[in-house]
Amino acid sequence: MMQSLPTPATPAWLPWQEAVVLVVVLVILLAVRRLSTARLGDGIRARLLLGVPWGTLLTMAGVLAVYLFLQGAWWHPRDPLVTPFRTWSYFYPFGMLTGAFTHGSQGHITGNLMGTLVYGTVAEYVWGHYPRKRGVQTFTSLRTNPFARLLAVPVAMFVVGVFSAVFAIGPIVGFSGVVFAIAGFALVTRPTLFLGAFLGTRVLDLLYSALRYPVSTAAGQTRFVTPWWSNIAIQGHAIGILAGVVVALALLRSRDEHPDTLRVFFATLVFAVAQGLWAVYIPLGGGRFRLFRWAGTALVFLLALVVAAATVGSDRRFRPSFDRHPASLAVIVLLVVLGALSLAAVPTNVVDLQADQLPEDGIEVRDYVVTYDENVPNAYFESIWVPTQQAGTSVNESGVIVASAEREVWIAAVQPGRLAVNGEERVTVGGPTWRESVYANRTDWSVLGNASVYRVQLRREEGQSRTAYTSEPSTADVILDGRNVTVAARQHGFDVVVTRGNETVGQAPLPANMTRTRIGGLTFERNRSRLYAGTDGTRVKIAERRQQAARR
């Protein structure tokens, strides 16, 4: 599909443009500070050590260090190692421990770090580094020690991260579960401040884009694009926000605080809608997904209502009583839903792949197998019940397949459409201390009036290419002197097959560039990317080699 994409102008990176943006922003912020009568710094310093959210910053530093050094983005900015860090299975505990703290790309980690900074600052402000009760002095106990309280923030975020990874459905990667938990905590405890912070993320996003791309030129590009919502771990986000809400309610109850219910409702609804929590979908296989927008819309409104109702507190009209202890019905609903969503992940996370489930023909890189195939059962989902399939059937996949029985990995890492558009794609596999790339190359010939013919080759770095897949032959929609012409992909190239009726009258390799040859009574001539067939003065373009996007 065509889409307008920003591409840096020439020169792409001019320091003076960055400087202009920074100077203008800083001057305006200082001017606003001088014009304002409020002394925000005093209030922040009363809650945070030196007025800085140290716990949030420590968490961000840890996540960034994992991305740069464990995933190798410091040395390979455009190709961080991702596959071994996903939450593939409980039988692969390494992935369960690292999945929440690793990321798939620079844009992925940037968005999560921005969310952590903004929402984490609000949450840490609510928590505070100093005791809040009157008469209680600092450093009198562990609970009143500011250093212990600020260290509790990254510890809590780590625990939430492991929780979100262990109970996420499928092989997820990313800190977004924790970000949603922090947001859930913040929107319940300080809904108005949270909404301001939420809008602040949009400002930060603009500032980041202005600094990274000071000047951009919009241009049309052909790209393979999947639906944006198909890349969202919606269940992981849901358990994240619910976990944050539950922790926030517990803190409010301990402090006997009751935020404004209407503000909580509005903050929850705005955040849930803006962050796509309404995008309820299921995979259909073959790169297709089904979105239930009607159900998702109803669910986000219901979520906002339940979260807001849980903050009513002492309103006896809304809750039953158990042994004289107040128990909000809304809180019970939240706990039940959180438990149900978490337990739903268990069947998907007990996948145990066996060696005989791996592709038989592929490039082996230590414990990995990399190959290309189309419309084959996804071994990872073979034991998982999928609502759109009948019992006992699997979700079929196509593309560059990466599998490892040792790590419980089976994934179509590159879709066929993406490989067809780009021509060449790189898949990186590895572990904490090593990595290696495998390159997939697709060569296409578009046949007159019929489907394309293509073959896919794979090679390791500095290795020889080997053909992993050949498509079905394709016959041109033209008859020359009573003959049909078919182009067929082979292990070592492409053949031209000439038939008359059901009889093959000639077959030979596709002629080299700027040469001609005679096959089955027809003359074939190749002129760069075009293949012509002729007889008795008639010349027809039979096939044309497709031009893919620039190779990387």
Side-chain angles (χ1 to χ4, degrees):
M1 63 180 294
M2 297 295 295
Q3 107 176 1
S4 179
L5 298 171
T7 55
T10 303
W13 192 271
L14 299 179
W16 70 266
Q17 295 171 332
E18 298 175 300
V20 168
V21 174
L22 290 175
V23 169
V24 170
V25 171
L26 291 175
V27 168
I28 291 177
L29 290 178
L30 290 174
V32 172
R33 178 67 181 87
R34 293 292 299 271
L35 293 173
S36 175
T37 58
R39 298 181 62 83
L40 298 178
D42 294 340
I44 295 176
R45 283 191 292 271
R47 304 293 292 272
L48 302 178
L49 185 64
L50 302 179
V52 177
W54 297 107
T56 299
L57 295 180
L58 285 173
T59 302
M60 294 173 61
V63 173
L64 183 60
V66 168
Y67 180 73
L68 291 177
F69 304 114
L70 185 61
Q71 294 187 253
W74 179 268
W75 302 277
H76 307 274
R78 295 181 179 274
D79 188 31
L81 184 60
V82 180
T83 300
F85 302 111
R86 290 184 180 273
T87 56
W88 291 105
S89 171
Y90 294 145
F91 297 105
Y92 182 55
F94 179 78
M96 287 291 169
L97 291 175
T98 60
F101 311 103
T102 51
H103 292 82
S105 65
Q106 184 178 4
H108 189 197
I109 190 173
T110 299
N112 280 339
L113 288 181
M114 283 187 178
T116 303
L117 176 63
V118 175
Y119 306 138
T121 300
V122 176
E124 193 165 353
Y125 175 83
V126 174
W127 168 246
H129 296 161
Y130 301 104
R132 302 182 70 249
K133 291 184 179 179
R134 291 184 178 182
V136 178
Q137 299 295 321
T138 58
F139 296 103
T140 57
S141 67
L142 194 62
R143 291 189 62 183
T144 61
N145 188 316
F147 296 103
R149 292 181 67 86
L150 71 86
L151 288 176
V153 175
V155 171
M157 292 187 184
F158 175 80
V159 172
V160 172
V162 174
F163 168 80
S164 66
V166 169
F167 293 106
I169 293 178
I172 64 98
V173 63
F175 202 60
S176 56
V178 181
V179 174
F180 273 74
I182 302 169
F185 181 90
L187 66 85
V188 169
T189 53
R190 294 293 188 278
T192 303
L193 183 60
F194 167 80
L195 285 174
F198 175 72
L199 294 176
T201 60
R202 300 300 190 264
V203 177
L204 284 179
D205 182 64
L206 174 62
L207 181 60
Y208 171 78
S209 299
L211 292 175
R212 189 176 181 189
Y213 304 109
V215 177
S216 296
T217 301
Q221 290 187 5
T222 301
R223 299 185 66 193
F224 177 78
V225 181
T226 56
W228 64 266
W229 38 265
S230 67
N231 297 316
I232 296 178
I234 191 71
Q235 179 264 356
H237 291 178
I239 64 173
I241 191 172
L242 290 175
V245 168
V246 169
V247 173
L249 292 173
L251 181 66
L252 291 176
R253 293 289 176 90
S254 69
R255 294 179 176 180
D256 196 27
E257 296 180 4
H258 305 289
D260 183 272
T261 302
L262 183 59
R263 294 181 181 180
V264 173
F265 173 83
F266 185 69
T268 306
L269 183 62
V270 168
F271 180 74
V273 171
Q275 295 300 318
L277 282 179
W278 51 267
V280 178
Y281 71 92
I282 56 176
L284 299 176
R288 298 183 303 122
F289 306 87
R290 179 166 294 157
L291 175 67
F292 299 93
R293 188 179 285 104
W294 67 271
T297 302
L299 285 175
V300 294
F301 274 86
L302 184 60
L303 171 67
L305 173 64
V306 174
V307 172
T311 64
V312 173
S314 61
D315 188 348
R316 295 181 180 274
R317 296 171 299 174
F318 199 79
R319 59 161 181 78
S321 177
F322 298 95
D323 298 330
R324 298 182 180 180
H325 292 288
S328 170
L329 180 60
V331 174
I332 295 175
V333 171
L334 289 173
L335 291 173
V336 169
V337 173
L338 176 59
L341 286 176
S342 300
L343 292 177
V346 174
T348 70
N349 292 338
V350 293
V351 172
D352 187 15
L353 295 180
Q354 304 301 317
D356 59 1
Q357 293 179 282
L358 301 185
E360 295 181 356
D361 184 25
I363 291 181
E364 295 185 5
V365 184
R366 298 196 186 186
D367 58 286
Y368 292 93
V369 176
V370 182
T371 189
Y372 182 95
D373 211 338
E374 294 187 359
N375 199 32
V376 293
N378 186 324
Y380 185 85
F381 287 103
E382 279 190 337
S383 60
I384 301 174
W385 179 74
V386 181
T388 55
Q389 303 286 349
Q390 296 179 356
T393 60
S394 298
V395 172
N396 287 351
E397 295 283 2
S398 301
V400 180
I401 297 168
V402 179
S404 169
E406 180 179 319
R407 304 173 194 271
E408 314 300 340
V409 173
W410 202 107
I411 185 174
V414 179
Q415 294 293 320
R418 177 179 164 190
L419 183 59
V421 170
N422 294 334
E424 183 176 271
E425 285 290 333
R426 176 175 57 188
V427 174
T428 303
V429 297
T433 59
W434 68 278
R435 59 182 284 145
E436 184 173 338
S437 295
V438 175
Y439 296 85
N441 180 280
R442 172 168 163 163
T443 305
D444 281 71
W445 281 88
S446 179
V447 179
L448 177 66
N450 210 336
S452 295
V453 177
Y454 56 92
R455 67 171 181 154
V456 177
Q457 294 178 292
L458 302 174
R459 66 174 177 87
R460 300 174 68 167
E461 292 184 88
E462 308 301 329
Q464 295 294 322
S465 296
R466 53 176 292 190
T467 300
Y469 183 86
T470 57
S471 67
E472 293 293 326
S474 182
T475 301
D477 187 18
V478 65
I479 298 176
L480 292 172
D481 195 19
R483 298 170 174 84
N484 293 103
V485 178
T486 299
V487 180
R490 305 301 187 200
Q491 288 290 318
H492 301 289
F494 294 85
D495 281 358
V496 176
V497 182
V498 179
T499 59
R500 175 182 288 164
N502 294 324
E503 179 186 359
T504 299
V505 296
Q507 179 174 342
L510 191 145
N513 186 31
M514 306 305 293
T515 64
R516 66 175 59 187
T517 186
R518 192 162 180 83
I519 305 172
L522 300 178
T523 301
F524 291 88
E525 178 183 354
R526 180 175 172 186
N527 186 347
R528 296 182 175 86
S529 62
R530 297 179 177 88
L531 176 66
Y532 296 92
T535 180
D536 297 331
T538 302
R539 185 169 180 263
V540 179
K541 184 175 72 172
I542 295 296
E544 182 174 6
R545 182 168 176 171
R546 293 181 56 185
Q547 301 296 319
Q548 282 100 359
R551 305 287 173 86
R552 293 182 300 180

